[in-house]
């Protein structure tokens, strides 16, 4: 072999997630966990409600993670974490970072009440939503995070999802919590930095991580990272931070915003869309993007 | 120290003396004074606890579960709609072996909206794997909360301390509030061996295949079966320290009774007044008040009713399409042991309709007249 | 790292061995997910620039660094193809698994 050279690792080498887990090939949710744990380190406790991750981790008496997990009820991730945090503090552990780790269904839909309560009280937890844009655990049903136009088993192609994805960041911003960030597994260093930053803040911190799902999106497993990059570059899922519900910062500036068509084309869930429908979706993305730019520039 | 307090405050004092560390609750009539007093206690540091003021009962229980898993002693209180909203999480508590203690004020279920007493809220949670205590006085409420922490933490099974709406929750009675040091001596701090901590990472409650689920539930039942003896033991210990015995049941003149009125909750005191009056009229009546509904004290009940000629079970609840729920339990306790003893099932007082001594006289007269029950349910007080 | 971790299957012979609550007491490393694979990544180290990208994007933690070079852990690699797709020099080939 060639000359001595160091392997370049842009993230810490230590792994808190082990091989042998039960995720499908090319699962984005799994990478989200791997990166977040790299940033948080071992002194964390996770609350995971029903979602793919309650399967990925592995069945009793096993776990794929080297950190403790409370597998909690579907709708309770946020407040379970508040409870764990309060409990740990009362038994003298003030250091452990408590993380609620939920899917989009557990966040946008059934868990939104508990999450809103936690955010309104500004309980000291990190809430991570890994977003695969549907209920995957139960077999790809629509959630309110499913984007307009997408096929799911409850939005068949003849009646595809005809409402836009819920704007969760706006909802969280309305709670005036200290930190909100969007991230994508296509940008691990950005996700790593944001998780580190979140760790140092007290109060409710909300990370929304875009995590492609080859099984549910009918995409090729090897395209997972590509999709997670394209979604950012075409501004469908821009990367930004919001502090105290007011200060917006855009993290990845787009010199040239890519059209969404290429991104849609490599996902089976959008295959039925006509040119016209894609054009109107493009218009929506453009409008949303402009709205975000004006929020970023308003301060 | 003797204090005149309402039943709801007896719950709060129980939680305070038990040194609950995390409290999470949501207000509902007729429970509100429980959380109001606890909020004050936490605010003025009479109680060193974190009070998570959640947006629903569902979240209240979820927060308690998380805190309990972290190794903290946890307490909540609710009633009726609030309790039933928690239902899924009640299973989570027992299955996760998290010894949360909860006060529940018995209030009838809507619709129509009712804030008055009946037991369908707590009894419809009977198969959730919680220990259930039904109390008859404010003193008993306070004492039972302290005992419940002890029993629950020993067995790692959650407990519900139940009291009637208004007739206890809002009724002021003289209560002996024990000294903190003595309670501390009775109830050591909660120190679970296994808890959620990064120092020894476990994943709790993961996917469980048919290969293991059955054994987990077998173990829960086996531990539940240890509860009757433990309740008696901790009740005797309590008596030694505080002069009040806390048992599975409470009996009144059952030894020589021809007819035993079986009741639960405050209705027990009414039954006693009736039994006394009946005795003056020459009818040997007794009262057996069942305090621990789960686990059901089968043996104790069997032994007490042994000499009786008739049993009348009075339920302030109903399992639709079946019977009153205490009636079901008493019959199942006697089945195969005392099959010839006639057991009459009465339903009275749903939705807070009064149950008075004369209700019990009516019940007694009915039972004495008939050889054996002719109806599945004998309704008392329905306008027909 | 993972080499010194417990990779055994856990067997409970009786209910007495089962913990009170369902809780993990071992890793998933006994689950050799390499058998899921139809195609496998093969790295041509001659063209490798040691950028670490394949290591970074593996969802199965199945590329590790040995003596500063990427090595595929075929015991666990599920064959998703992400590493090959993302490698900037295209020096990872996905080849048919011989079965
Ligand atoms: C109260 C309740 N309702 C429904 C379910 C069934 N259920 C389990 S996971 C899930 C969907 C999870 O979707 P999401 O949160 O997006 O996570 P994903 O599976 O996509 O990772 C549903 C509906 C449940 N476990 N609990
Ligand atoms: S269904 Fe999707 S999110 Fe779930 S494990 Fe498979 S790839 Fe991952
Ligand atoms: S094929 Fe997939 S699982 Fe295998 S090493 Fe490459 S990225 Fe990892
Ligand atoms: S991605 Fe390709 S070039 Fe980079 S380290 Fe891996 S094999 Fe080498
Ligand atoms: Mg999802």
């Amino acid at each position: 072999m060639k000359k001595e050279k160091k392997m370049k690792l842009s993230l810490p080498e230590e792994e808190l997630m082990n091989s042998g887990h039960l995720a499908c090939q090319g699962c984005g949710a799994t990478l989200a966990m791997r990166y977040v744990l790299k940033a948080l380190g071992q002194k964390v406790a996770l609350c995971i409600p029903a979602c793919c991750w309650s399967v990925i981790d592995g069945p009793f008496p096993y776990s794929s993670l080297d950190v403790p997990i409370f597998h909690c009820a579907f709708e309770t991730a946020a407040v379970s974490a508040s409870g764990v945090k309060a409990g740990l503090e009362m038994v003298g552990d003030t250091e452990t970072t408590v993380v609620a780790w939920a899917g989009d269904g557990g966040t946008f839909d059934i868990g939104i009440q508990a999450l809103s309560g936690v955010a309104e009280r500004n309980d000291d937890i990190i809430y991570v939503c890994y977003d695969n844009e549907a209920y995957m655990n139960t077999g790809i049903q629509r959630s309110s995070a499913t984007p307009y136009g997408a096929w799911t088993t409850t939005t068949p192609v003849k009646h595809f999802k005809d409402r836009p994805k819920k704007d969760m960041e706006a909802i969280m911003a309305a709670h005036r919590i200290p930190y909100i960030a969007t991230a994508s597994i296509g940008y691990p260093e950005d996700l790593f930095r944001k998780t580190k930053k979140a760790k140092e803040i007290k109060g409710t911190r909300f990370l929304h991580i875009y995590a492609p799902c080859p099984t549910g999106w009918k995409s090729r497993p090897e395209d997972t990272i590509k999709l997670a990059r394209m979604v950012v570059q075409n501004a469908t899922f821009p990367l930004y931070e919001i502090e105290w519900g007011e200060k917006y910062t855009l993290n990845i500036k787009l010199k040239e915003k890519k059209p969404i068509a290429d991104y849609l084309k490599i996902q089976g869930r959008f295959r039925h869309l006509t040119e016209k429908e894609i054009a109107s979706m493009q218009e929506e993305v453009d409008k949303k993007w402009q709205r975000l730019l004006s929020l970023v520039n308003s301060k | 120290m003797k204090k005149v307090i309402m039943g709801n405050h007896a719950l709060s004092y129980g939680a305070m003396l038990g040194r609950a560390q995390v409290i999470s609750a949501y207000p509902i009539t007729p429970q509100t004074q429980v959380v109001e007093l606890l909020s004050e206690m936490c605010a003025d540091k009479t109680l060193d606890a974190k009070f998570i003021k959640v947006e629903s009962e569902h979240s209240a229980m979820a927060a308690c579960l998380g805190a309990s898993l972290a190794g903290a002693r946890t307490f909540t209180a609710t009633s009726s709609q609030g309790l039933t909203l928690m239902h899924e999480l009640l299973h989570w508590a027992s299955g996760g072996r998290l010894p949360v203690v909860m006060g529940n004020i018995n209030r009838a279920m809507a619709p129509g909206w009712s804030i008055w007493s009946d037991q369908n809220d707590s009894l419809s949670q009977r198969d959730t794997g919680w220990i259930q205590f039904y109390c008859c006085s404010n003193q008993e409420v306070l004492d039972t909360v302290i005992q419940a922490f002890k029993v629950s933490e020993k067995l790692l099974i959650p407990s519900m301390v139940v009291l009637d709406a208004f007739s206890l929750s809002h009724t002021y009675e003289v209560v002996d509030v024990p000294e903190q040091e003595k309670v501390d001596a009775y109830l050591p701090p909660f120190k679970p061996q296994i808890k959620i901590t990064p120092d020894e990472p476990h994943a709790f409650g993961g996917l469980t295949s048919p290969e293991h689920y059955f054994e987990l539930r077998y173990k829960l039942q086996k531990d539940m079966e240890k509860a009757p003896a433990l309740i008696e033991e901790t009740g005797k210990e309590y008596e030694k320290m505080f002069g009040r015995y806390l048992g599975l049941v409470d009996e009144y003149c059952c030894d020589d009774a021809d007819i035993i009125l079986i009741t639960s909750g405050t209705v027990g005191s009414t039954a006693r007044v009736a039994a006394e009056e009946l005795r003056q009229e020459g009818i040997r009546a007794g009262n057996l008040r069942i305090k621990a509904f789960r686990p059901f004290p089968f043996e104790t009940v069997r032994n007490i009713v042994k000499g009786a000629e008739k049993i009348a079970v009075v339920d302030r609840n109903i399992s639709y399409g079946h019977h009153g729920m205490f009636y079901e339990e008493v019959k199942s306790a006697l089945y195969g042991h005392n099959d010839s003893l006639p057991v009459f099932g009465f339903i009275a007082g749903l939705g807070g309709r009064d149950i008075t001594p004369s209700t019990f006289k009516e019940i007694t007269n009915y039972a004495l007249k008939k050889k054996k029950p002719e109806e599945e349910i004998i309704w008392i007080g329905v306008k027909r | 790292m993972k080499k010194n971790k417990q990779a055994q299957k856990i067997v409970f012979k009786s209910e007495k061995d089962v913990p009170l609550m369902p809780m993990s007491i071992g890793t998933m490393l006994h689950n050799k997910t390499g058998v899921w694979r139809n195609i496998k990544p093969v790295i041509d180290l001659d063209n490798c620039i040691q950028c670490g990208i394949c290591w970074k994007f593996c969802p199965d933690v199945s590329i590790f660094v040995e003596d500063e070079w990427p090595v595929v852990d075929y015991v666990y690699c599920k064959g998703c193809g992400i590493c090959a797709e993302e490698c900037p020099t295209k020096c990872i080939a996905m080849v048919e698994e011989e079965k």
Side-chain angles (χ1 to χ4, degrees):
Chain A
M1 264 173 267
K2 297 165 297 186
K3 57 190 182 307
E4 285 282 315
K5 198 177 132 196
K6 279 250 171 224
M7 180 101 152
K8 267 199 262 84
L9 301 184
S10 56
L11 298 170
E13 196 175 355
E14 196 198 349
E15 303 286 354
L16 291 166
M17 186 183 90
N18 296 296
S19 308
H21 61 66
L22 296 180
C24 313
Q25 290 150 320
C27 171
T30 308
L31 280 168
M33 180 68 86
R34 188 175 165 222
Y35 302 145
V36 166
L37 290 184
K38 276 178 187 291
L40 293 178
Q42 213 261 324
K43 258 205 136 15
V44 307
L46 300 180
C47 294
I48 305 186
C51 61
C52 267
W53 250 105
S54 39
V55 178
I56 297 171
D57 184 51
F60 165 68
Y62 307 105
S63 168
S64 301
L65 304 183
D66 291 339
V67 297
I69 304 173
F70 176 19
H71 287 285
C72 58
F74 192 18
E75 60 288 356
T76 64
V79 69
S80 296
S82 295
V84 169
K85 181 71 187 169
L88 285 176
E89 288 196 349
M90 287 309 294
V91 301
D93 174 356
T94 52
E95 273 168 37
T96 297
T97 304
V98 182
V99 179
W101 179 277
D104 48 292
T107 305
F108 287 58
D109 295 335
I110 200 167
I112 197 171
Q113 173 178 330
L115 171 58
S116 174
V118 164
E120 184 271 330
R121 291 189 302 275
N122 199 23
D123 287 351
D124 191 21
I125 66 150
I126 299 183
Y127 191 102
V128 180
C129 169
Y130 70 92
D131 187 357
N132 53 23
E133 303 197 314
Y135 302 158
M136 296 312 178
N137 171 299
T138 39
I140 327 171
Q141 294 84 23
R142 84 176 309 262
S143 77
S144 58
T146 303
Y148 178 94
W151 161 90
T152 67
T153 56
T154 50
T155 49
V157 290
K158 283 210 185 99
H159 193 174
F160 60 73
K161 174 100 184 300
D162 60 356
R163 293 284 299 151
K165 185 183 178 99
K166 196 184 270 183
D167 188 348
M168 202 61 203
E169 277 63 57
I171 292 171
M172 294 314 292
H175 287 77
R176 296 287 188 269
I177 53 174
Y179 189 63
I180 296 165
T182 63
S184 165
I185 57 140
Y187 294 85
E189 294 80 8
D190 174 75
L191 168 55
F192 180 86
R193 178 187 67 78
K194 286 171 174 166
T195 311
K196 279 256 183 228
K197 181 168 173 182
K199 189 184 172 194
E200 300 312 318
I201 297 169
K202 242 182 118 63
T204 307
R205 295 139 282 171
F206 183 78
L207 295 179
H208 182 186
I209 308 176
Y210 184 82
C213 164
T215 308
W217 296 6
K218 307 293 167 219
S219 56
R220 301 187 313 164
E222 63 266 41
D223 285 345
T224 289
I225 306 299
K226 197 190 296 172
L227 283 166
R229 259 196 312 266
M230 290 170 103
V231 79
V232 173
Q233 289 171 358
N234 65 28
T236 300
F237 195 89
L239 300 187
Y240 60 104
E241 294 163 287
I242 312 171
E243 281 158 84
W244 294 109
E246 285 183 347
K247 188 171 167 255
Y248 283 67
T249 312
L250 199 58
N251 309 116
I252 307 269
K253 308 236 160 64
L254 301 179
K255 272 190 229 106
E256 172 209 1
K257 191 161 71 64
K258 302 265 170 56
I260 60 168
D262 301 340
Y263 161 79
L264 300 178
K265 222 178 298 165
I266 58 173
Q267 302 176 59
R269 63 174 174 158
F270 294 117
R271 193 162 293 144
H272 53 277
L273 296 175
T274 61
E275 301 269 312
K276 208 172 129 213
E277 278 150 1
I278 293 176
S280 82
M281 284 168 73
Q282 181 69 59
E283 255 174 63
E284 276 307 309
V285 169
D286 296 346
K287 258 197 267 173
K288 246 189 97 187
W289 174 242
Q290 285 312 319
R291 215 178 306 141
L292 178 63
L293 288 182
S294 69
L295 284 167
V296 171
N297 297 327
S298 70
K299 285 272 135 54
Chain B
M1 199 207 333
K2 294 251 194 294
K3 270 189 177 200
V4 180
I5 57 172
M6 64 182 348
N8 279 341
H9 287 172
L11 275 177
S12 315
Y13 276 104
M16 179 199 87
L17 290 167
R19 293 192 189 275
Q21 294 168 294
V22 175
I23 296 163
S24 187
Y26 189 78
I28 180 170
T29 304
Q31 154 268 30
T32 42
Q33 292 80 11
V34 186
V35 289
E36 286 166 2
L37 183 57
L38 283 170
S39 307
E40 275 172 37
M41 287 170 167
C42 290
D44 68 17
K45 300 269 186 254
T46 327
L47 175 58
D48 178 20
K50 288 195 187 291
F51 194 139
I52 308 178
K53 287 154 197 170
V54 284
E55 84 304 326
S56 70
E57 289 86 353
H58 194 279
S59 285
M61 183 50 66
C64 286
L65 300 182
S68 184
L69 187 62
R73 182 171 287 160
T74 54
F75 180 82
T76 184
T78 186
S79 177
S80 176
Q81 316 296 133
L83 178 67
T84 48
L85 180 63
M86 289 177 182
H87 178 74
E88 182 198 6
L89 300 180
L90 300 188
H91 288 274
W92 224 280
S94 57
R97 307 303 297 264
L98 301 169
V100 178
V101 171
M102 164 162 64
N104 180 66
I105 324 296
N106 268 150
R107 159 182 159 179
M109 293 296 303
W113 285 118
S114 166
I115 53 168
W116 294 277
S117 191
D118 86 27
Q119 300 171 320
N120 259 62
D121 58 350
S122 55
L123 287 177
S124 64
Q125 310 307 315
R126 69 176 171 182
D127 301 332
T128 53
W130 282 59
I131 295 168
Q132 289 197 358
F133 298 106
Y134 288 78
C135 297
C136 182
S137 69
N138 292 354
Q139 183 71 62
E140 191 179 35
V141 168
L142 185 152
D143 295 338
T144 304
V145 171
I146 296 167
Q147 181 194 25
F149 281 123
K150 189 157 174 138
V151 171
S152 279
E153 289 168 10
K154 184 94 190 252
L155 298 174
L156 296 178
I157 296 176
S159 286
M160 203 183 289
V161 178
V162 186
L163 49 150
D164 294 87
F166 301 107
S167 54
L168 270 197
S169 69
H170 286 64
T171 302
Y172 282 78
E173 292 177 350
V174 179
V175 171
D176 174 38
V177 179
E179 284 159 33
Q180 184 68 61
E181 299 85 81
K182 275 174 82 180
V183 176
D184 290 346
Y186 174 79
L187 177 66
F190 177 41
K191 292 255 185 267
Q193 284 184 335
I194 293 163
K195 54 185 183 177
I196 190 163
T197 163
D199 301 335
E200 214 186 294
H202 298 287
F204 295 92
L207 196 67
T208 302
S209 70
E211 194 188 341
H212 301 308
Y213 188 93
F214 205 0
E215 280 70 29
L216 292 163
R217 290 303 177 262
Y218 171 83
K219 288 169 89 91
L220 176 55
Q221 169 64 14
K222 284 291 152 191
D223 285 340
M224 195 56 131
E225 287 168 11
K226 293 179 191 153
L230 185 63
I231 291 169
E232 286 183 328
E233 185 193 313
T234 54
K236 278 185 201 143
E237 203 186 321
Y238 199 86
E239 186 179 22
K240 239 189 250 158
M241 293 183 68
F242 303 99
R244 293 179 294 272
Y245 175 64
L246 304 169
L248 297 162
V249 301
D250 184 16
E251 56 174 310
Y252 172 78
C253 295
C254 288
D255 286 349
D256 67 341
D258 294 330
I259 177 161
I260 295 179
L261 304 165
I262 297 189
T263 60
S264 56
T266 43
V267 174
S269 338
T270 317
R272 261 159 221 220
V273 174
E276 236 170 89
E277 289 176 13
L278 284 162
R279 278 182 179 258
Q280 280 162 16
E281 293 165 24
I283 298 166
R284 282 188 302 198
N287 170 233
L288 170 61
R289 177 169 69 86
I290 294 177
K291 184 177 176 196
F293 176 74
R294 278 292 179 273
F296 195 78
F298 289 113
E299 254 195 73
T300 313
V301 169
R302 277 200 287 270
N303 286 335
I304 291 171
V305 303
K306 234 188 319 216
E309 273 170 23
K310 275 173 183 165
I311 301 292
V313 184
V314 183
D315 274 293
R316 197 175 217 172
N317 63 76
I318 178 165
S319 171
Y320 298 105
H322 202 231
H323 295 146
M325 294 185 228
F326 280 86
Y327 181 48
E328 292 171 11
E329 304 292 335
V330 171
K331 280 191 301 173
S332 92
L334 296 179
Y335 181 76
H337 292 268
N338 198 347
D339 293 335
S340 57
L341 177 61
V343 186
F344 295 78
F346 298 88
I347 289 185
L350 297 186
R353 182 75 57 88
D354 275 348
I355 299 180
T356 62
S358 65
T359 316
F360 280 103
K361 287 190 190 162
E362 190 184 338
I363 286 167
T364 308
N365 288 335
Y366 182 103
L368 289 178
K369 253 199 310 230
K370 307 266 169 165
K371 263 186 119 133
K372 55 182 189 351
E374 287 159 12
E375 298 161 81
E376 295 287 341
I377 293 174
I378 307 155
W379 296 87
I380 296 293
V382 176
K383 296 168 200 154
R384 291 199 269 202
Chain C
M1 270 284 291
K2 71 181 143 196
K3 290 195 187 90
N4 23 8
K5 278 187 200 158
Q6 189 205 343
Q8 277 87 46
K9 259 201 95 113
I10 295 162
V11 182
F12 300 125
K13 288 218 187 71
S14 125
E15 53 87 15
K16 291 187 184 64
D17 307 330
V18 180
L20 279 189
M21 62 275 268
M23 63 180 228
S24 66
I25 46 180
T27 68
M28 283 295 285
L29 289 170
H30 65 277
N31 186 35
K32 312 229 157 90
T33 49
V35 297
W36 298 16
R37 197 170 56 227
N38 293 319
I39 42 174
K40 69 172 180 185
V42 177
I43 307 179
D44 166 17
L45 291 180
D46 288 340
N47 290 312
C48 172
I49 55 169
Q50 292 163 289
C51 66
I53 284 176
C54 53
W55 167 83
K56 177 169 76 180
F57 284 128
C58 176
D60 287 278
V61 205
S62 293
I63 293 183
F64 53 96
V65 184
E66 208 167 77
D67 300 329
E68 305 305 326
W69 293 96
V71 179
V72 177
D73 184 347
Y74 292 112
V75 178
Y76 299 106
C77 161
K78 290 176 187 161
C80 69
I82 288 179
C83 52
E85 190 74 19
E86 295 302 318
C87 171
T89 66
K90 295 282 162 233
C91 72
I92 305 178
M94 296 304 293
V95 305
E96 209 63 35
E97 188 74 52
E98 299 135 41
K99 287 224 161 138

